[in-house]
Amino acid sequence: MPQIIFFAVVIGGIWWLYRRFVRVAQKLTEKSRRAENERRTGAVGTLVKDPKTGEYRVKRDDE
């Protein structure tokens, strides 16, 4: 019985690490894609519209 619990915990940890890896890889891909578009167009940043105020601002890296 302890072996089953051990393997369940190990498999859960591996799954969690895999999902985290995929999430970080997607963020890095999006960041590099955005940077490539900015280089191609000569832009300084990407503007996003704030839904509450309606004003535009430069998109931060953590968004």
Side-chain angles (χ1 to χ4, degrees):
M1 184 66 174
Q3 294 89 355
I4 294 174
I5 295 171
F6 172 75
F7 285 121
V9 169
V10 168
I11 290 172
I14 290 171
W15 178 254
W16 179 79
L17 287 173
Y18 170 74
R19 295 301 302 160
R20 183 178 168 108
F21 171 78
V22 169
R23 194 176 326 120
V24 169
Q26 288 173 342
K27 284 182 183 178
L28 289 175
T29 301
E30 177 60 32
K31 184 177 179 181
S32 67
R33 196 173 291 146
R34 189 171 49 242
E36 177 61 32
N37 283 340
E38 289 175 3
R39 264 194 304 278
R40 187 172 37 84
T41 61
V44 177
T46 302
L47 293 177
V48 293
K49 187 175 183 179
D50 185 5
K52 293 179 182 175
T53 62
E55 296 177 350
Y56 287 90
R57 59 177 171 72
V58 176
K59 186 172 185 174
R60 297 185 306 262
D61 286 337
D62 59 350
E63 293 182 298

